[in-house]
Amino acid sequence: MTALFFPHQALADTLLACLPDAFDGAHDLAHLERVWRNVQCIAAEEGGDRALLLAATVLHDGVHVAKNDPRRAQASQLAADQAREILSTTGWESPRIEAVAHAIEAHSFSAGITPQTLEARILQDADRLDSLGALGVARCFYTAGQMGGALYDPFDPQADGRALDDQRFTLDHFQTKLLTLKEGFQTATGRRLAAQRHARLLAFRDALLEEIGETPAR
């Protein structure tokens, strides 16, 4: 079997076994593996404690809170508290547990917490990369489908004469969040990768608008 979290597969297996089963196709095992791949790519140039980063990666979405749940902004705090409990049973020392918890707390867009450590900056960048590019498009529409959202407003696709409402219209989410993400990356490597994926996201948005008879606004 492929080691998804090489070279820390044993640690990953231990931590994954402690997580509850809660399926969400946008925050599943494949998402964790992609974030870990992004983490490794960034850390290869920026540095960072790899074992600590692995723990933060595997546990960062340990508590699932739906996007339209009023507790959404608390999701990363809940996951951090869960990580503290899990890591305390595996022999980790308190300072390292708190470093993992901080990285988890700070990774969330909704929480609005500024990362204070290199590992927290790396995890935030690695997670946000998965909201950009082709994967960002796929996850965005998957989540909107789960929530019952429409693809776009047929009367005003670009919200020229109405307020943006990404709870109702998926295309609005590109403007309210996805196309703003590249400005907030924390590391030089993350910013470079984000620029590439932002361009793919923008190209998809523009192609969709053209196919529904709209001229993309810049």
Side-chain angles (χ1 to χ4, degrees), residues 121-140:
R121 291 191 288 272
I122 290 172
L123 180 66
Q124 187 183 101
D125 281 4
D127 185 64
R128 291 188 184 183
L129 281 172
D130 210 44
S131 294
L132 294 174
L135 283 163
V137 171
R139 296 177 71 220
C140 176

Side-chain angles (χ1 to χ4, degrees), residues 12-31:
D13 289 342
T14 297
L15 299 178
L16 287 168
C18 298
L19 292 175
D21 292 326
F23 182 76
D24 169 18
H27 300 88
D28 56 3
L29 182 63
H31 168 64

Side-chain angles (χ1 to χ4, degrees), residues 95-109:
R96 287 174 64 75
I97 291 175
E98 287 306 311
V100 170
H102 170 65
I104 292 173
E105 290 168 347
H107 92 273
S108 169
F109 182 88

Side-chain angles (χ1 to χ4, degrees), residues 70-109:
R71 301 173 303 147
R72 180 61 192 171
Q74 303 171 35
S76 65
Q77 179 63 64
L78 295 171
D81 290 342
Q82 181 187 71
R84 289 184 178 97
E85 294 179 9
I86 291 172
L87 291 173
S88 67
T89 68
T90 60
W92 280 51
E93 296 180 353
S94 180
R96 287 174 64 75
I97 291 175
E98 287 306 311
V100 170
H102 170 65
I104 292 173
E105 290 168 347
H107 92 273
S108 169
F109 182 88

